[in-house]
Amino acid sequence: MRFRFKQPLPLSLLRPPQAASASATFRSVSHHSSFGIAFDIDGVILHGANPIGNSRRALRKFYNHSGSLKIPFLFLTNGGGIPESRRALELSDILGVKILPSQVMQGHSPFSTLLKRYENEFIVATGKGEPAVVMSEYGFKRVVSLDEYASHFSNIDPVAQYKRWTTIQESNCSKHSEKIIHHDYSKNVKAVFVVSDPVDWGRDIQVICDILTSGGIPGEKNWHQPPLYFAADDLQYQAAFSSKRLGMGAFRIALESVFNRIHDKPLEFTCFGKPNPFVFRKAETILAHLLQTCCLGDVVTGNGDSSSPSFRTLYMVGDNPLVDIKGAQQAGYPWFSILTRTGVFRQRENHTKYPADLVVDTVEDAVAFILKREDAL
């Protein structure tokens, strides 16, 4: 195990993390309440559905013997496509610990902040998994998947007859609605949401361009572009395959390139997800809530009130310098960035443009360092 720091740290922190006791924990509320941790998933915790870097063993250190959370942590990923509640169940099953829905912050999670604006507006959502279901879970009442939307327009996909798959999903059912909603597809689409990596790039680029260049009704002539939102802008990510895979950022580049060739005005869009500083501020709020409700059991804070506690240090453990490390740096104090070599990043030396505060081999090494560093303060 080798560590590389962006800048010198005290000698007491440079000893190999293995020297710390495997059972090193935090001896008081005031001790372990000073830090929280955010983990990327793909390339740090998992490759596909397979744990990597001894992630199962590493994460168990954050729970007591009864299985209750004792150190606040969450997963901060640009991935998605399913509701946070379901992702939490999947992670719990794979990792062998209880993951709460509030511990899962996906690329599309910030879309919930747009509910007041689009709650009752007709919107289209696209991406792998169940994009319309995701948006319905957030409370959007008039959302359809692009699969379903495209099916209501004859010949909108000129090569549909050559495709041998069906991807239409049920998007009308939601815990927020008591009955089936019948959408009027002659109405203007008020916004398009790219919730996760699209499956059918060709069709999605065609239909999104149709919506955006027509003012929201394909075939019409209205050059007012409806808003377009991306859950993330990763160019590449590490999945189960040995080399990097194209991410949502690659789809955004393809869509933008085509749109700008057929439209007089350049494509306008908004990207959420890492490295957006907003995401890191939201993560800090969630970690504070986890600390107060799960780790401390809603005890009164030291200053005599029940306000959210503050952190001395927040750790971002990721594998992508352009996303995880850049985001932590832009978020500023109190974020400390740790880069693993199990995903997008594989080189021995630190990244040149976005150097992490610490480079380690695996997530287990990162956890060992954090526990030792915090225990030594």
Side-chain angles (χ1 to χ4, degrees):
M1 182 191 307
R2 294 193 297 175
F3 299 92
R4 294 186 183 276
F5 295 90
K6 183 172 68 174
Q7 55 191 4
L9 290 176
L11 291 177
S12 61
L13 301 182
L14 295 177
R15 293 190 298 270
Q18 294 98 322
S21 169
S23 62
T25 55
F26 302 92
R27 300 177 179 82
S28 68
V29 165
S30 62
H31 199 171
H32 73 61
S33 65
S34 63
F35 73 101
I37 311 170
F39 294 98
D40 184 32
I41 297 179
D42 297 316
V44 174
I45 302 294
L46 304 175
H47 277 167
N50 301 312
I52 58 172
N54 291 321
S55 56
R56 288 171 58 95
R57 183 167 63 191
L59 294 180
R60 281 199 295 268
K61 296 180 180 180
F62 300 142
Y63 296 81
N64 59 29
H65 294 299
S66 65
S68 298
L69 190 66
K70 65 181 181 181
I71 297 173
F73 79 92
L74 55 75
F75 296 105
L76 186 56
T77 175
N78 279 351
I82 60 175
E84 287 77 5
S85 57
R86 197 182 311 169
R87 191 72 182 276
L89 289 174
E90 290 182 357
L91 290 169
S92 298
D93 183 58
I94 294 172
L95 299 172
V97 293
K98 183 181 180 181
I99 304 298
L100 303 171
S102 57
Q103 287 178 273
V104 180
M105 189 172 176
Q106 304 185 104
H108 48 68
S109 297
F111 285 168
S112 62
T113 63
L114 297 172
L115 182 60
K116 286 186 178 180
R117 182 175 179 182
Y118 296 109
E119 180 177 2
N120 296 300
E121 300 288 359
F122 187 36
I123 60 175
V124 170
T126 190
K128 66 185 179 185
E130 299 173 317
V133 172
V134 167
M135 299 298 286
S136 293
E137 289 287 310
Y138 295 149
F140 296 92
K141 293 182 173 63
R142 300 184 62 210
V143 55
V144 295
S145 68
L146 193 143
D147 297 327
E148 185 176 341
Y149 184 77
S151 71
H152 285 265
F153 293 86
S154 298
N155 303 315
I156 196 170
D157 181 1
V159 295
Q161 61 181 313
Y162 301 103
K163 297 175 182 177
R164 299 180 179 180
W165 66 87
T166 301
T167 55
I168 294 178
Q169 302 156 353
E170 178 60 65
S171 63
N172 286 324
C173 295
S174 167
K175 67 179 182 180
H176 299 282
S177 61
E178 298 179 355
K179 61 182 180 179
I180 298 296
I181 297 176
H182 298 283
H183 300 287
D184 184 352
Y185 291 86
S186 66
K187 299 295 185 181
N188 295 69
V189 173
K190 297 299 183 180
V192 176
F193 291 82
V194 183
V195 174
S196 52
D197 301 317
V199 176
D200 189 345
W201 280 34
R203 184 208 58 188
D204 284 16
I205 290 174
Q206 176 68 73
V207 176
I208 292 175
C209 283
D210 287 335
I211 294 172
L212 300 184
T213 59
S214 65
I217 304 178
E220 298 292 321
K221 293 183 178 180
N222 182 340
W223 294 106
H224 173 70
Q225 182 201 313
L228 171 65
Y229 300 97
F230 290 89
D233 199 31
D234 296 27
L235 182 60
Q236 294 180 306
Y237 68 99
Q238 188 65 51
F241 196 69
S242 57
S243 60
K244 305 169 191 175
R245 302 292 85 191
L246 296 177
M248 200 181 306
F251 174 80
R252 193 268 303 163
I253 291 172
L255 172 61
E256 184 178 18
S257 178
V258 171
F259 184 92
N260 290 349
R261 290 292 187 94
I262 64 175
H263 199 286
D264 294 334
K265 296 181 180 179
L267 180 68
E268 297 179 359
F269 58 89
T270 301
C271 290
F272 288 88
K274 299 174 293 185
N276 193 320
F278 166 83
V279 173
F280 288 81
R281 291 194 295 270
K282 181 64 174 178
E284 182 173 357
T285 300
I286 295 174
L287 286 168
H289 180 74
L290 286 170
L291 171 63
Q292 196 163 357
T293 59
C294 300
C295 303
L296 306 185
D298 274 326
V299 299
V300 177
T301 56
N303 59 7
D305 60 44
S306 58
S307 60
S308 297
S310 59
F311 293 100
R312 179 169 55 215
T313 308
L314 291 171
Y315 296 91
M316 177 67 229
V317 183
D319 70 305
N320 191 332
L322 301 180
V323 176
D324 303 310
I325 307 308
K326 178 182 178 181
Q329 291 176 354
Q330 290 181 339
Y333 176 83
W335 287 92
F336 183 101
S337 58
I338 301 179
L339 187 58
T340 69
R341 298 187 178 95
T342 48
V344 172
F345 180 83
R346 296 294 179 95
Q347 64 195 50
R348 300 311 305 176
E349 300 299 325
N350 207 337
H351 193 262
T352 303
K353 188 173 182 179
Y354 297 107
D357 293 303
L358 173 69
V359 179
V360 297
D361 289 331
T362 69
V363 66
E364 185 177 39
D365 297 338
V367 169
F369 168 82
I370 292 170
L371 295 181
K372 181 169 179 59
R373 183 175 192 245
E374 292 297 326
D375 198 43
L377 294 177

